[in-house]
Amino acid sequence: MDPTPATATPKAARPKPGERRLQILQMLAAMLQEPGGERVTTAALAARLQVSEAALYRHFASKAQMFEGLIEFIESTVFGLINQITSAQEDGLRQLRDIIAMLASFAERNPGMTRVLVGDALVTEDDRLQSRINQLVDRIEASLRQSFRVAVAQGNLPPGTDASARAGIVMAFMLGRWLRFAKSGFKRPPAEALEQQMSALVA
């Protein structure tokens, strides 16, 4: 039996642990995808959330730490999906096609994150953030390289195929697609004509 009287006035719901932190990151990502691509300040971010800047710093020690939170989200999502693809698909060429399509789709669904991926949102921020993105891109390229090696081992690509060179070409292509998407004000989707170009990337 519920001991709480029926007439009791419910208390205002307080954010669950981590909920306010997530709200801050979501608002930061939303502001990054707004037209104009202007630098996001903590004052503007606090105003959007209707809290004080001091309230932001109770959850993040600095704005750089907020961007690190976005990068951690990108890492966990992208590599979680890559692991799913490589676990579900034994065929190396199929892995490559699915990874490329996923990278395009992720950017299209997360425009603000795309500005982080291409470094556009990090120009005036702490240098370590760009280093972190560089490492993330290197890891994606390493995953592509492994799938190219699988395709060669399976006989689906010629034995002399340079997996490193091919992975580098695909990564450069994807970075170009992300950059064009960001610079077009998110009007040129990364997956535009991707199916038609896929054979040139992975054949």
Side-chain angles (χ1 to χ4, degrees):
M1 186 173 181
D2 187 350
T4 305
T7 55
T9 303
K11 293 182 179 179
R14 295 185 63 182
K16 296 176 183 177
E19 190 174 291
R20 175 62 76 186
R21 185 182 173 90
L22 180 60
Q23 288 172 349
I24 293 168
L25 293 178
Q26 288 174 332
M27 182 58 72
L28 175 58
M31 292 176 73
L32 287 172
Q33 69 186 55
E34 291 177 356
E38 297 178 3
R39 181 172 183 259
V40 177
T41 64
T42 52
L45 181 59
R48 288 289 188 91
L49 290 163
Q50 298 182 323
V51 299
S52 66
E53 286 187 74
L56 296 182
Y57 291 120
R58 282 199 290 272
H59 300 278
F60 295 95
S62 64
K63 189 165 66 155
Q65 198 176 84
M66 296 177 201
F67 274 105
E68 284 181 332
L70 291 184
I71 294 171
E72 286 168 5
F73 170 81
I74 295 170
E75 284 178 331
S76 63
T77 303
V78 167
F79 291 108
L81 291 170
I82 287 175
N83 289 338
Q84 286 180 27
I85 290 167
T86 55
S87 296
Q89 289 287 354
E90 292 184 2
D91 184 278
L93 289 182
R94 187 70 257 177
Q95 288 177 12
L96 287 163
R97 287 176 172 272
D98 288 353
I99 290 171
I100 293 167
M102 178 275 291
L103 293 172
S105 177
F106 175 84
E108 195 165 334
R109 292 197 309 269
N110 301 280
M113 305 286 186
T114 304
R115 289 192 59 212
V116 176
L117 277 167
V118 299
D120 181 46
L122 306 177
V123 173
T124 57
E125 305 301 334
D126 193 301
D127 288 345
R128 77 173 184 272
L129 297 172
Q130 186 58 61
S131 296
R132 185 88 181 267
I133 285 295
N134 293 344
Q135 291 170 4
L136 187 156
V137 169
D138 287 345
R139 286 182 61 199
I140 294 174
E141 188 171 332
S143 296
L144 293 166
R145 184 164 57 247
Q146 178 58 30
S147 292
F148 269 111
R149 286 173 177 159
V150 169
V152 172
Q154 292 170 338
N156 293 325
L157 289 173
T161 299
D162 187 330
S164 293
R166 293 294 299 275
I169 290 169
V170 172
M171 197 67 246
F173 170 85
M174 190 51 61
L175 284 167
R177 282 303 180 93
W178 289 340
L179 185 62
R180 186 181 69 173
F181 182 48
K183 294 301 184 183
S184 70
F186 310 116
K187 294 175 184 175
R188 298 289 300 276
E192 184 178 57
L194 188 60
E195 273 304 312
Q196 296 91 315
Q197 296 167 344
M198 193 76 80
S199 59
L201 291 171
V202 302

